[in-house]
Amino acid sequence: MSSLSRELVFLILQFLDEEKFKETVHKLEQESGFYFNMKHFEDMVQGGEWDEVERYLSGFTKVEDNRYSMKIFFEIRKQKYLEALDRHDRAKAVEILVKDLKVFASFNEELFKEITQLLTLDNFRQNEQLSKYGDTKSARNIMLMELKKLIEANPLFRDKLNFPPFKASRLRTLINQSLNWQHQLCKNPRPNPDIKTLFTDHSCAAPTNGARAPPPANGPLAGPIPKSAGFPPMGAHAPFQPVVTPNAIAGWMTNANPSLPHAAVAQGPSGLVQPPNTAAFLKHPRTPTSAPGIDYQSADSEHLMKRMRVGQPDEVSFSGASHPPNAYSQEDLPKQVVRTLNQGSNVMSLDFHPVQQTILLVGTNVGDIGIWEVGSRERIAHKTFKVWDISSCTLPLQAALMKDAAISVNRCLWSPDGNILGVAFSKHIVQTYTFVPNGELRQQAEIDAHIGGVNDIAFSHPNKTLSIITCGDDKLIKVWDAQTGQKQYTFEGHEAPVYSVCPHYKENIQFIFSTAIDGKIKAWLYDCLGSRVDYDAPGHWCTTMSYSADGTRLFSCGTSKDGDSHLVEWNETEGAIKRTYNGFRKRSLGVVQFDTTRNHFLAAGDEFVVKFWDMDNTNILTTAECDGGLPASPRLRFNREGSLLAVTANDNGIKILANTDGQRLLRMLESRAFEGSRGPQQINTKPPLINTLGSASNVSSPIAVNSERPDRMLPAVSMSGLAPMDVSRTQDVKPRITDEAEKMKTWKLSDIVDSGHIRARRCPDTASNPSKVVRLLYTNNGIALLSLCSNAGHKLWKWQRSDRNPTGKSTASISPHLWQPPNGILMTNDTSDGNPEEATACIALSKNDSYVMSASGGKVSLFNMMTFKVMTTFMAPPPAATFLAFHPQDNNIIAIGMEDSTIQIYNVRVDEVKSKLKGHQKKITGLAFSQSMNVLVSSGADAQLCVWSIDGWEKKKSRYIQPPANHSGALVGDTRVQFHNDQTHVLVVHESQLAIYDGKLECSRSWYPRDALPAPVSSAIYSCDGLLIYAGFCDGAIGVFEAESLRLRCRIALSAYIPPSMPSGGSVYPMVIAAHPLEPNQIAVGMSDGAVHVVEPLDTDTKWGVAPPQDNGAHPSMSSAPAASNNQASDQPTR
């Protein structure tokens, strides 16, 4: 069910509740399974309505779902059994024992025997464990407390215990908005329309004298329709009286606001005109202010909706008891001190790693930075300040350092993916490091950014590449390339030193908020260097700004020169303060710092304590003294999940506060192992662990790669732009190819058969009889290779730094090291007593290269890449998992292709299958997400492609791939898919062909094995830049194709990368190909004999072959066949 349909159910529940249809409300709650009404459940339990209790529960869970569910049903049935015994109704007790409780005997036979023996007692209280059993009412209340704990801990009830917060009579409001809109479209609108039905669209009748009614004074393009009153009641009970006033309706119709000028395209230079979807906070409405609009969509009005926008009418807040608003408990706040660390100098800035949530970055007042693993209390990295290259520094910086060498860290923070950290210093400089998960910091860029102090830094992606934003005492804001340190933008306009920056984006519009110490708040767009807004911050001095995690709410916190602190929420639409939070002391000692978490809580350090607020309540929620020892205004920082809070303390200390989830996470890290069972504790500790997972990496497998790489994606290359680019490159190499002999010469140069014409390296292996390689991938940083073999074992090769390879990058010039952790553990998948050689293996790597998910016919295993230890297992067969792909927007959601032809959308955080997709006839062999199209494309051993909507997981389209002309019957066999960098075109790989499809599953180009490459295709993958396709063949050859045209650039024979001197038994061929994530011309191939080879061109060639000439097409021996289709011309279609 789509999200809108789900929300409609909640609207109906609210309406039924308001109309007092109580039984219907609870029936819909049960049948939909969207909202578990705890109050209703409590009433039924306390009333002893056991059949109704179980019937209501059945809408949400069954006995066998998990241990929590089993315990819930057991407690209910045990209570029913004890009450029957207490009434001396032994016949009923026996019936309950046989029908209800016997199901638990298979799980705990001894307990069932003990329960049965109660029948032999005159009073079951003679049993020692039941001796304190009181009367029925007290027993039910005690049991109810236990049931509530079990329900709240049960993953199946996650997100179902709180009713969504929305205003009263919301369904009525939507209907009234629809009626108002229908009346607006009437040809003959009457001042007081008579609405008598909702079954048909409203339309005012024509005037009785035949004359057309005069148009309203204010039409859709002129202003609001004057109404003397709302719509009249529709019947005696008036169920849909309007909840909006005439003025509100008029305002809704026009969305007029004189304070927001309309940014018409004709007004002003283009640099000052914002796109229609520019953030409202930048003072530009998204539609003409006089345009009417609607919110609720219908097919007849879809074309109008694209030009209309609606303001929200005033509504009455709903405060019904049955459906309380969504609320967190104070127990969700981290208030318990669990760690105390000592940095050695005064901490000025903190930031938790965005992925590895127990890693903490700190910067100090003497310029040091440190990285702590708070779980083990270990400082895994420490850097003292030094200028890396004093000769490249400006003279003002050199003079400042000569005058006073003291320097402090003003701000340190992680990049969004946690691979880079930035440090802003109190004098001129910003330094960036790359972070290796083992704790190593590598110098990346040193930027002489500002004259004076650098007061704040932030990361953003204004041009799809990572940038770092800086601000300083010189009143400037600058944007730099985070990799190279090259300046990209400079923003001028503040009249005082800039104190903080806050980048954000809304609806694809990137902007930056900045604050200065004169209290001014400004906003900047990257394509327009002038400030877009100019507001005053409360306190008119040092202020920082931050969005809630979901990006929907904007907050600021600051302190005036007099010590008055202000924590406020902003109304982005009007640029005004929406809410001011209370609870600060009159004169704060220092500048108050704050942070947000869970889209629900605020925290600030003040009066030697940490103060917490609910975002929706201006009064203090609670405080935490942290066992004392805090400074007057401590600095603080939440981790991403809000389970941990780092707070600066006196004597160079840092205190780590945790809630229950945080304490479990730290205990898990201390033990570094999960229990073998799937008990409640393991389920509780799983969510924080799985949050460290990232997007799927470039996993290679027989016939394809697993999924796209959104986290390491290079700048997208338009598929339509590849052909002309190749034409120009061909012309550069061979300006004129005039005769057939010259073409043959070019082809021969591109046919590599000698090992002296390429650089190839076999990865070392200690196994005497290695198993064939079935999956192969590079790590995201490109410095290691991970293989999965048919025997369910993994191997990891790393390139190490040396004099010959000072950067430690992957290369075919130097052998990598077959790496193993000191504990000697092997990384081996669960096989469930099956034969892994016959299983379909699958693998996916986290974006920070710390964890790998893998399966070889048994359970899916989660391994720690640093220790090779199994962190957890899940999804036990049957059916077995055959493909893994991470959801591009939520790392906790995994699409798992199964052996039984289904696709399971699995939430690892709550250990629950959210959806099961059915459409294939054979096992799933490929999955690929497109974030831009919001779809999942799947392929199977049935040679079928399916497109699924990510929003509701409905199947949008399916198609079988086209067989070659000489093939009779339907195709079968493993089929792989991979999205191009443009996220709209899909590479489809089958042993019979390579093909390019678009998002609508229209085939635009295909190539079939023939001539120079006659053998079946074994694997294929895009290069990281999307310009090439590498394909392996079952005769050992490798083909390098143009990605756009599928024309062959180069053929690499088996003898080129496996010379005859290298032993290889039998028929050896590349089963899998992996493309390097950063080097488009480097590949790794996994072989059928278990070997892994790294292959790249010679330094003199740099690229694979020469692009074939566009005018004459491909050489006969490397021809590409156009897609065979009844509706398709033989020429390549224009996109």
Side-chain angles (χ1 to χ4, degrees), residues 822-962:
N823 55 28
I825 293 177
L826 298 177
M827 194 157 48
T828 306
N829 280 335
D830 170 72
T831 57
S832 296
D833 299 326
N835 183 3
E837 299 285 345
E838 300 175 358
T840 301
C842 51
I843 193 169
L845 182 66
S846 67
K847 65 182 179 181
N848 65 350
D849 297 331
S850 295
Y851 299 93
V852 63
M853 267 187 188
S854 184
S856 297
K859 298 177 182 178
V860 179
S861 300
L862 175 67
F863 295 96
N864 184 315
M865 285 281 283
M866 297 303 298
T867 63
F868 285 8
K869 289 184 178 179
V870 178
M871 307 303 289
T872 188
T873 58
F874 55 93
M875 299 294 286
T882 56
F883 209 92
L884 299 168
F886 285 99
H887 192 291
Q889 300 162 352
D890 188 346
N891 294 330
N892 292 312
I893 303 297
I894 303 176
I896 306 178
M898 307 301 289
E899 197 173 34
D900 65 354
S901 79
T902 64
I903 303 167
Q904 299 198 16
I905 308 302
Y906 177 68
N907 189 321
V908 292
R909 181 182 177 85
V910 298
D911 190 22
E912 179 181 1
V913 175
K914 293 292 187 180
S915 297
K916 184 179 286 188
L917 314 184
K918 298 180 179 179
H920 288 275
Q921 306 303 315
K922 295 181 180 294
K923 68 179 180 180
I924 304 302
T925 55
L927 295 169
F929 282 99
S930 170
Q931 188 167 359
S932 63
M933 294 197 301
N934 216 34
V935 298
L936 168 68
V937 173
S938 61
S939 60
D942 54 1
Q944 182 185 190
L945 308 175
C946 295
V947 180
W948 312 84
S949 168
I950 292 179
D951 290 333
W953 302 112
E954 299 93 355
K955 185 164 76 171
K956 301 176 68 174
K957 197 168 186 177
S958 64
R959 172 168 292 181
Y960 288 90
I961 64 174
Q962 301 164 355

Side-chain angles (χ1 to χ4, degrees), residues 716-735:
V717 180
S718 170
M719 290 290 283
S720 61
L722 294 179
M725 186 185 302
D726 295 335
V727 172
S728 64
R729 184 158 53 234
T730 304
Q731 291 169 345
D732 290 340
V733 177
K734 293 287 183 182

Side-chain angles (χ1 to χ4, degrees), residues 595-910:
D595 199 7
T596 73
T597 187
R598 294 181 175 236
N599 302 311
H600 197 84
F601 295 116
L602 299 163
D606 184 45
E607 291 189 276
F608 306 95
V609 299
V610 178
K611 298 178 179 180
F612 298 95
W613 289 264
D614 185 310
M615 288 182 179
D616 298 320
N617 193 322
T618 58
N619 295 320
I620 282 184
L621 180 63
T622 186
T623 61
E625 295 185 0
C626 308
D627 300 336
L630 300 188
S633 299
R635 294 172 173 81
L636 47 81
R637 193 74 170 174
F638 287 103
N639 70 346
R640 188 185 62 187
E641 290 298 313
S643 59
L644 300 176
L645 176 65
V647 185
T648 58
N650 295 329
D651 301 323
N652 308 325
I654 307 166
K655 296 195 176 187
I656 307 299
L657 281 62
N659 61 11
T660 304
D661 289 338
Q663 293 176 47
R664 291 195 190 104
L665 173 60
L666 296 181
R667 284 197 299 269
M668 178 203 69
L669 291 172
E670 285 178 336
S671 64
R672 287 289 179 183
F674 280 97
E675 294 180 2
S677 66
R678 299 277 293 176
Q681 180 159 353
Q682 183 175 349
I683 295 175
N684 286 342
T685 57
K686 186 186 300 180
L689 171 64
I690 301 299
N691 287 334
T692 63
L693 296 177
S695 303
S697 43
N698 60 339
V699 182
S700 181
S701 54
I703 313 196
V705 339
N706 94 338
S707 60
E708 77 280 37
R709 309 168 52 85
D711 56 308
R712 298 288 303 203
M713 196 72 70
L714 297 181
V717 180
S718 170
M719 290 290 283
S720 61
L722 294 179
M725 186 185 302
D726 295 335
V727 172
S728 64
R729 184 158 53 234
T730 304
Q731 291 169 345
D732 290 340
V733 177
K734 293 287 183 182
R736 290 179 178 84
I737 300 179
T738 56
D739 54 52
E740 202 66 26
E742 189 68 24
K743 293 181 185 178
M744 290 300 293
K745 182 179 179 181
T746 302
W747 167 243
K748 289 178 182 176
L749 290 175
S750 299
D751 191 10
I752 302 174
V753 297
D754 193 323
S755 60
H757 293 160
I758 64 170
R759 183 181 291 123
R761 176 77 58 173
R762 177 170 178 166
C763 297
D765 197 346
T766 57
S768 58
N769 187 24
S771 298
K772 60 186 178 182
V773 180
V774 291
R775 294 292 187 271
L776 182 67
L777 57 97
Y778 279 94
T779 55
N780 295 288
N781 56 21
I783 63 173
L785 268 172
L786 177 65
S787 72
L788 173 58
C789 298
S790 58
N791 64 356
H794 301 77
K795 295 175 184 176
L796 180 66
W797 290 274
K798 292 184 178 181
W799 276 265
Q800 297 178 328
R801 292 187 178 188
S802 64
D803 294 338
R804 293 180 58 197
N805 187 16
T807 61
K809 69 177 183 179
S810 60
T811 173
S813 301
I814 300 173
S815 290
H817 172 62
L818 181 60
W819 189 87
Q820 272 191 306
N823 55 28
I825 293 177
L826 298 177
M827 194 157 48
T828 306
N829 280 335
D830 170 72
T831 57
S832 296
D833 299 326
N835 183 3
E837 299 285 345
E838 300 175 358
T840 301
C842 51
I843 193 169
L845 182 66
S846 67
K847 65 182 179 181
N848 65 350
D849 297 331
S850 295
Y851 299 93
V852 63
M853 267 187 188
S854 184
S856 297
K859 298 177 182 178
V860 179
S861 300
L862 175 67
F863 295 96
N864 184 315
M865 285 281 283
M866 297 303 298
T867 63
F868 285 8
K869 289 184 178 179
V870 178
M871 307 303 289
T872 188
T873 58
F874 55 93
M875 299 294 286
T882 56
F883 209 92
L884 299 168
F886 285 99
H887 192 291
Q889 300 162 352
D890 188 346
N891 294 330
N892 292 312
I893 303 297
I894 303 176
I896 306 178
M898 307 301 289
E899 197 173 34
D900 65 354
S901 79
T902 64
I903 303 167
Q904 299 198 16
I905 308 302
Y906 177 68
N907 189 321
V908 292
R909 181 182 177 85
V910 298

Side-chain angles (χ1 to χ4, degrees), residues 314-334:
D314 296 329
E315 298 169 344
V316 181
S317 296
F318 173 66
S319 58
S322 297
H323 294 155
N326 185 17
Y328 283 89
S329 163
Q330 290 189 30
E331 300 302 319
D332 295 308
L333 290 170

Side-chain angles (χ1 to χ4, degrees), residues 19 154 264 510:
E19 295 299 310
N154 194 328
Q510 302 256 4

Side-chain angles (χ1 to χ4, degrees), residues 389-512:
D389 186 3
I390 192 68
S391 63
S392 64
C393 295
T394 60
L395 291 177
L397 173 57
Q398 294 184 39
L401 293 174
M402 290 292 292
K403 182 178 180 180
D404 182 8
I407 197 164
S408 171
V409 172
N410 280 345
R411 182 71 190 278
C412 59
L413 80 163
W414 297 101
S415 63
D417 60 5
N419 292 329
I420 297 174
L421 62 90
V423 188
F425 294 97
S426 58
K427 291 177 183 173
H428 295 246
I429 285 182
V430 171
Q431 293 178 343
T432 64
Y433 294 84
T434 55
F435 173 68
V436 182
N438 64 7
E440 182 182 357
L441 291 179
R442 299 174 184 170
Q443 296 177 2
Q444 179 166 312
E446 184 174 62
I447 306 170
D448 193 345
H450 295 272
I451 298 175
V454 183
N455 296 321
D456 197 14
I457 55 175
F459 287 99
S460 69
H461 290 84
N463 300 311
K464 296 185 179 179
T465 58
L466 185 66
S467 298
I468 187 166
I469 304 167
T470 66
C471 64
D473 289 342
D474 55 6
K475 308 175 187 177
L476 299 178
I477 300 155
K478 299 181 183 181
V479 183
W480 316 79
D481 185 293
Q483 299 281 348
T484 65
Q486 184 176 0
K487 186 165 65 176
Q488 297 172 323
Y489 303 92
T490 300
F491 300 103
E492 301 181 48
H494 275 293
E495 298 176 357
V498 185
Y499 182 74
S500 71
V501 286
C502 175
H504 195 58
Y505 68 93
K506 284 210 169 190
E507 301 172 359
N508 298 321
I509 301 301
Q510 302 256 4
F511 54 93
I512 305 169

